[in-house]
């Protein structure tokens, strides 16, 4: 220690020259508890500090901590007059203690802000992951309300724009342990200041504070208690408003801080995008389902005393539609039993959705041409003209089958257009190819086709199929075609079977042959003359239903 001459009138202080000018505050406390010396930084930090005075008088907080430490003082921290101070003791050989005092207020403030920002980022990251986990709108609303009450507020309401006069609302209350509850209400958004603007979304509006006393009763969840503060935050979506988020805090919980409000706005932005995506997905799914119903093969049953059955397997198991199709158009109501039902089976070039779209156009065109079904060639030529007028050259192979009951037999007129001829499965197991052929549709300016007439006795079957069956590759080596000969052998095994059993067996055998190999679309359609009483018991008319 080096003596430093004191200023006149001040008590004598001993200050170590090594830390007299140190930027950190330092003061020495003697064994009797008095301040023996302090540097300029200590006097600046503690203006009431005086050397020679008892520490308990000039810095009671330090004296209390020092006394509590006993002979071996330990470092500690405290808040003194709004400043965060960390104290580090250094024992001297004479028993005195030099206390180094560090003002860490700014450091702690930065640490606190960093900790708050880290917690905020973690919450928003968790929210994004949870919100992106579902494309169901109601589930997104439930997740939004639940996350809000877990971190931001005591109660939350998520509201979507009105649909048919009703608003969908999901409510969540913190601490209840119950899942968010959903409801649909007819309400006036003007009752809540800022809600109408938030639901409209244009122009973008900021969060809006409202007086809890002015809020309508439906805003406060049952059993919530007294509301202390309410804020309305818009939920922006993809170009359209997704809804609004109402956050509530109970009385005594304190208002929302500026940082909490900023977090709520960013959270609302992410929730709005997730809800908007869920709404768009639901709309697209509904549109897709509506269109898909028109592209799916129809469900077939007995029509006019004739059994119809069909099976379809797309080239990709993940798809529902493709380029193969079949339809059955019953004769008009009030028609005589001799009138013909038109069955159609076709194969459009290509696979997947693009091919399915073309099949939809062809099926619609054929439905329009039904009044001309009595003349197959004319019907096919009109369809050919329609396809040739398309911007893109696409073709289709078809087989038309006009079916009519004649007593216990079934009469067919069969016309192929670039398609494999149907197989006739006789009751004794013989399999014949129908004598019909023709030009594929949509490739040439003019087409030709021949029509074959076939009679089916009770129990006999006419089998229509696409080349996805015969060209299916598989077998022991995985490269052999299923082929027409194998198909005819399978067909012979189906003699006497009802139509449903025939198509099921043919497709099963083709599927077994393919195994795990890739394949084209497969479609089969069976037309059967039922046996015995099944025909005559209903006066020559089938009781089965037909669903297109």
């Amino acid at each position: 220690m080096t003596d430093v001459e004191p200023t006149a009138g001040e008590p004598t202080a001993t200050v170590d020259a090594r830390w007299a000018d140190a930027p950190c505050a330092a003061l020495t406390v003697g064994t009797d508890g008095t301040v023996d010396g302090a540097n300029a930084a200590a006097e600046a930090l503690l203006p009431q500090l005086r050397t020679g005075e008892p520490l308990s008088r000039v810095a009671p907080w330090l004296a209390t901590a020092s006394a509590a430490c006993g002979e071996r003082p330990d470092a500690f921290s405290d808040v003194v007059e709004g400043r965060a101070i960390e104290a580090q003791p250094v024992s001297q050989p004479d028993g005195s203690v030099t206390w180094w005092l560090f003002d860490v207020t700014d450091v702690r403030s930065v640490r606190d802000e960093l900790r708050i920002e880290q917690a905020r980022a973690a919450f928003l990251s968790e929210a994004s992951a949870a919100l992106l986990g579902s494309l169901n709108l109601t589930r997104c609303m439930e997740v939004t309300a639940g996350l809000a009450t877990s971190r931001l507020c005591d109660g939350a309401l998520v509201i979507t724009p009105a649909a048919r006069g009703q608003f969908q609302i999901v409510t969540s209350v913190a601490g209840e342990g119950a899942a968010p509850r959903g409801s649909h209400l007819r309400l006036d958004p003007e009752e809540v200041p800022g809600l109408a603007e938030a639901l409209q979304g244009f122009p973008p509006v900021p969060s809006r504070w409202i007086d809890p006393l002015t809020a309508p009763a439906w805003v406060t969840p049952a059993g919530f208690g007294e509301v202390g503060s309410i804020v309305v935050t818009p939920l922006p979506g993809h170009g359209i408003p997704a809804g609004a988020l109402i956050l509530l805090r109970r009385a005594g919980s304190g208002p929302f801080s500026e940082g909490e409000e900023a977090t709520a706005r960013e959270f609302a932005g992410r929730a709005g995008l997730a809800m908007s995506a869920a709404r768009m997905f639901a709309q697209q799914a509904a549109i897709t389902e509506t269109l898909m119903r028109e592209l799916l093969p129809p469900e077939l049953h007995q029509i006019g005393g004739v059994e119809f059955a069909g099976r379809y397997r797309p080239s990709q198991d993940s798809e529902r539609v493709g380029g193969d199709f079949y339809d059955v158009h019953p004769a008009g109501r009030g028609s005589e039993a001799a009138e013909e039902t038109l069955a159609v089976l076709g194969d459009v070039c290509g696979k997947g959705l693009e091919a399915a779209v073309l099949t939809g156009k062809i099926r619609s065109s054929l439905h329009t041409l039904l009044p001309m079904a009595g003349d197959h060639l004319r019907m096919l030529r009109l369809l050919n003209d329609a396809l040739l007028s398309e911007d893109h050259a696409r073709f289709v192979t078809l087989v038309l089958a006009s079916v009519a009951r004649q007593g216990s037999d079934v009469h067919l007129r069969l016309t192929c257009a670039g398609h494999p001829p149907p197989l006739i499965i006789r009751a004794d197991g013989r399999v014949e190819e129908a004598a019909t052929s023709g030009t594929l549709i949509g490739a040439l300016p003019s087409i030709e086709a021949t029509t074959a007439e076939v009679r089916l006795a009770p129990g006999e079957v006419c089998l229509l199929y696409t080349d996805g069956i015969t060209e299916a590759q598989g077998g022991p080596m995985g490269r052999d075609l299923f082929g027409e000969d194998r198909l005819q052998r399978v067909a012979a095994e189906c003699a006497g079977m009802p139509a449903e059993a025939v198509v099921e067996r043919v497709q099963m055998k083709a599927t077994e042959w393919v195994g795990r190999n890739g394949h084209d679309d497969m479609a089969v359609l069976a037309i059967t003359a039922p046996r015995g009483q099944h025909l005559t018991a209903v006066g020559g008319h089938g009781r089965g239903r037909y669903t297109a």
Side-chain angles (χ1 to χ4, degrees), residues 105-385:
T105 303
D106 294 339
V107 174
R108 284 194 175 184
S109 176
V110 171
R111 287 176 180 172
D112 291 342
E113 290 179 2
L114 178 59
R115 185 166 51 252
I116 291 172
E117 184 60 29
Q118 287 174 335
R120 174 175 174 271
F123 165 64
L124 292 174
S125 177
E126 175 190 347
S128 296
L131 289 165
L132 293 175
S134 174
L135 285 174
N136 179 278
L137 177 59
T138 300
R139 178 56 183 160
C140 280
M141 295 174 67
E142 293 172 349
V143 171
T144 300
L147 287 170
T149 53
S150 70
R151 298 292 182 90
L152 301 174
C153 58
D154 299 315
L157 289 82
V158 182
I159 307 174
T160 61
R164 294 184 291 275
Q166 287 192 328
F167 294 83
Q168 184 178 358
I169 301 177
V170 170
T171 304
S172 178
V173 177
E176 285 192 348
R181 297 185 297 271
S183 61
H184 288 80
L185 294 178
R186 293 186 180 275
L187 53 90
D188 182 6
E190 298 290 347
E191 294 179 340
V192 181
L195 179 58
E197 293 87 345
L199 290 172
Q200 291 172 358
F202 295 102
V205 294
S207 300
R208 178 77 176 271
W209 289 87
I210 65 174
D211 183 354
L213 297 178
T214 64
W218 61 265
V219 171
T220 306
F224 183 80
E226 184 181 356
V227 179
S229 54
I230 302 177
V231 62
V232 179
T233 300
L235 295 170
H238 295 281
I240 58 174
L245 175 64
I246 300 180
L247 305 177
L248 304 91
R249 280 189 173 172
R250 295 186 174 95
S253 298
F256 292 88
S257 67
E258 184 177 343
E260 289 172 332
E261 189 176 347
T263 301
R265 286 196 300 270
E266 187 164 350
F267 167 70
R270 301 187 184 199
L273 290 175
M275 289 171 53
S276 179
R279 183 185 295 277
M280 292 173 62
F281 177 80
Q283 292 173 345
Q284 291 174 357
I287 293 172
T288 300
E289 183 62 28
T290 300
L291 296 175
M292 192 68 71
R293 283 198 298 268
E294 298 300 319
L295 297 177
L296 289 173
E299 181 183 357
L300 304 181
H301 294 276
Q302 188 182 116
I303 303 171
V306 181
E307 290 183 359
F308 294 88
R311 282 287 187 277
Y312 172 69
R313 182 183 178 185
S315 59
Q316 299 294 329
D317 291 337
S318 58
E319 298 176 349
R320 300 171 62 190
V321 295
D324 289 5
F325 67 95
Y326 56 80
D327 271 316
V328 175
H329 302 280
R333 292 183 179 179
S335 61
E336 297 180 358
E339 287 198 24
E340 296 176 320
T341 293
L342 180 67
V344 182
L345 182 136
D347 183 359
V348 172
C349 66
K351 300 179 182 178
L353 185 59
E354 184 177 354
V357 171
L358 182 57
T359 67
K361 293 181 179 180
I362 293 172
R363 291 169 70 182
S364 296
S365 298
L366 288 170
H367 191 273
T368 303
L369 296 173
L370 284 178
M372 304 171 190
D375 188 340
H376 287 184
L377 184 56
R378 183 186 180 194
M379 191 177 190
L380 292 174
R381 284 175 174 170
L382 290 173
L383 178 62
N384 186 67
D385 293 340

